[in-house]
Every structure is written in C-alpha cells, then in structure tokens.
Amino acid sequence: MHAMQRRNLLKTAASAGLVSGLGGLGMALPLLASAKGRPGAKAALIVVDVQNCFVDGGTLPVKGGAEVVPVINKLAAAFDNIVVTQDWHTAGHASFASAHPGQKPFSSVKLDYGNQVLWPDHCVQGTEDAALHKELQLPTAQVIVRKGFNKGVDSYSAFEEADRKTATGLGGYLKQRGIKTVYVTGLATDFCVAWTALDARKAGFEVYVIEDATRAIDLNGSLAAAWKQMQAKGVKRIQSADVASA
Ligand SMILES: [Zn+2]
C-alpha cells in the first residue's frame, strides 16, 4: 500500500469513529488523524483573545500568557484559514466586579442568564489593553471576531454569548467557508478557549485544542473541570508538535 493510501485510510477510519473504542490508545489517535500533513483548506486555526489585557502588564493577566505567542505564530504557517478573537467590553460591563456594588473580582453573581464570574475591569473597547499582542504575527488571518460587547452579557465563547442565545456569527462564517475542523489556541484554556471549543463541537465541527498554545487562569479547579468537560464532548487535546507545518 502506498503511504498516501495508508494515510487516507487512517483518516477515514478515524473520522468514521472506527478506532475510537481502543481505550488506552485514545490519546494517540488525534495524532494519527492530524499529524500527517497540513490541516488543509477545510480547517481553521482559532486564536482566542491573545490581547494585552491577558498577559503580564495587562488588567487580567493569565500566568505565562505571552508564552503562547511564539507557539501560535509558528502554528499559523500551517493554516490556510485563521480566525482571531478579541474580548471587547464596554466600560462598566456586567462581567466587571466594579459594576456590582460590594463585589470583588473572582467572586460570582447570578445574572439573568445564569452564574457569572466577576473579573477586574479588562479589555475595554478601543484601549491599548484590548489590543492584540504586538508580537502576534498572523498575516493570513482573515477575520477578527469581537465578543463581549453587549454591556449586560459576557461572552467567553467565540460562537455564542453567555445568554446561550445570541450568536456571534462565527459558526455561519466557518460553515459558509466550508470549514469542517477547528484548532483552538489562546487564552485562557479554562474559560474562553474551553467555551469556544465546546460551542464549536455543538455547532458540529471537529475540534482540537492545542494545549501548549494555551494558558489557563485555573480558578478553583476550573482547568481540570474544563478539560474533563471538553473531553466528554469529544474535543481532542493535542500539542503543537502534532500539527505539521509543511
Ligand atoms: Zn472578558
């Protein structure tokens, strides 16, 4: 059998779920499905919220946040399609502790749409804090999805706001472009990356999270919980080395 045929067979087997029941081999399988070549025209890299606010010196720094930048820049070379997201809040946004008298950052309140973690003021529209990280090099990125701009509703997910009703339009955009698979990277693993990955699954995409291209906030065990939830929904956890750049 030619190498190419074997590769296609593996891909077909993986996509048909024929190899999904192999238990302990489970972690290795996404590698088979993804590592043998470029992700291709039907795949998109989603770069979530790699903004000044989420790195050292920003208003809501994620530990090691800037370390994802070179990893993502390198990954970008492998992708025909790149989507960038940007947390883009109004001043006085409902997700800010400062908008709720008596509340402190990292506590939670109930809003009409459910539980909301309260954050320090961050990523306010048009500020330097909300700008994309200056070392991000994504010359082939085609669209920027801004989210969290409705004052009363947060949006961790790039697909759907936290009211779970208001679509951002990203799902339609990707579908109209013929995208079947998304690779999610950026900040933070346990919030905007996880919610984006879960909603991508819900919208019917095959979804990979590239772990070393993300960093987490990890608030009260939120990182382990996020991975558990993502894995239960069929999100595949891989490393940047699993994605071929040539
Ligand atoms: Zn935010």
Side-chain angles (χ1 to χ4, degrees), residues 49-198:
D49 297 5
V50 183
Q51 295 167 257
N52 293 334
C53 32
F54 295 121
V55 302
D56 284 345
T59 47
L60 180 45
V62 178
K63 191 163 184 279
E67 293 165 14
V68 304
V69 173
V71 182
I72 290 170
N73 288 346
K74 196 171 166 202
L75 278 167
F79 284 86
D80 296 343
N81 305 292
I82 302 177
V83 173
V84 178
T85 80
Q86 210 170 4
D87 213 25
W88 198 251
H89 296 309
T90 59
H93 191 261
S95 70
F96 297 171
S98 63
H100 303 268
Q103 295 293 336
K104 290 205 166 63
F106 309 107
S107 63
S108 291
V109 290
K110 273 251 181 288
L111 299 183
D112 348 332
Y113 55 79
N115 209 43
Q116 173 69 50
V117 178
L118 297 177
W119 305 103
D121 290 22
H122 66 280
C123 299
V124 173
Q125 299 170 1
T127 62
E128 186 56 27
D129 189 57
L132 295 170
H133 192 283
K134 67 179 187 320
E135 284 161 26
L136 208 52
Q137 287 178 356
L138 305 171
T140 59
Q142 295 142 349
V143 69
I144 297 175
V145 175
R146 288 175 167 168
K147 58 189 184 61
F149 51 75
N150 286 320
K151 193 169 184 178
V153 186
D154 205 3
S155 190
Y156 296 151
S157 165
F159 289 88
E160 202 175 84
E161 296 189 23
D163 61 4
R164 314 314 283 152
K165 289 194 287 242
T166 310
T168 64
L170 178 58
Y173 169 84
L174 292 171
K175 282 177 187 173
Q176 286 203 322
R177 299 283 307 275
I179 304 295
K180 306 282 187 204
T181 307
V182 298
Y183 292 74
V184 189
T185 62
L187 303 171
T189 326
D190 40 347
F191 289 92
C192 295
V193 167
W195 284 53
T196 296
L198 287 167

Side-chain angles (χ1 to χ4, degrees), residues 11 29-39 183 208 238 242-244:
K11 276 188 177 164
L29 291 173
L31 202 144
L32 288 179
S34 66
K36 308 286 185 185
R38 286 172 64 90
Y183 292 74
Y208 295 88
I238 61 170
D242 298 335
V243 179

Side-chain angles (χ1 to χ4, degrees), residues 13-36:
S15 63
L18 296 176
V19 288
S20 64
L22 295 178
L25 288 176
M27 285 306 290
L29 291 173
L31 202 144
L32 288 179
S34 66
K36 308 286 185 185

Side-chain angles (χ1 to χ4, degrees), residues 9 158 168 205 222:
L9 190 67
T168 64
F205 297 98
S222 57

